[in-house]
Amino acid sequence: MTTADFLIGYIADAWMGGDAGGLRADTPILDLNIIDSAAIFDLVHALQAEFGVTVPLQEITPANFGSVGAIAALVGRLDEEEKSVR
């Protein structure tokens, strides 16, 4: 399962009644009010639990959480950064 697959499933289950139809990597989830600012923090906790990354507060921005693709890219970047520090 890719990061994007996890995100699509999680978002669909949590905020779309389980219906992922039409939810793609480039769907503007903030602009379409699929998730709101409060939901982002739930999503951050899910990302930390699922992928073991720490999402710093300064990374919680509309640019990083505007779409599934943006969130997946953030997770990938954070994972690489954390691996390089270890």
Side-chain angles (χ1 to χ4, degrees):
M1 174 184 302
T2 68
T3 303
D5 291 337
F6 168 80
L7 288 164
I8 287 171
Y10 186 86
I11 291 167
D13 289 344
W15 297 289
M16 299 174 66
D19 181 12
L23 184 57
R24 300 182 320 264
D26 63 345
T27 302
I29 58 177
L30 290 176
D31 292 343
L32 295 176
N33 294 319
I34 294 171
I35 65 171
D36 59 18
S37 57
I40 288 175
F41 289 97
D42 291 334
L43 189 52
V44 166
H45 291 292
L47 295 172
Q48 293 178 157
E50 181 70 19
F51 300 105
V53 296
T54 300
V55 181
L57 189 57
Q58 67 267 20
E59 296 287 359
I60 302 172
T61 65
N64 286 336
F65 283 85
S67 69
V68 167
I71 301 166
L74 172 66
V75 170
R77 182 172 54 80
L78 292 173
D79 185 51
E80 287 301 315
E81 289 173 4
E82 290 177 11
K83 284 179 183 174
S84 70
V85 173
R86 292 181 204 152

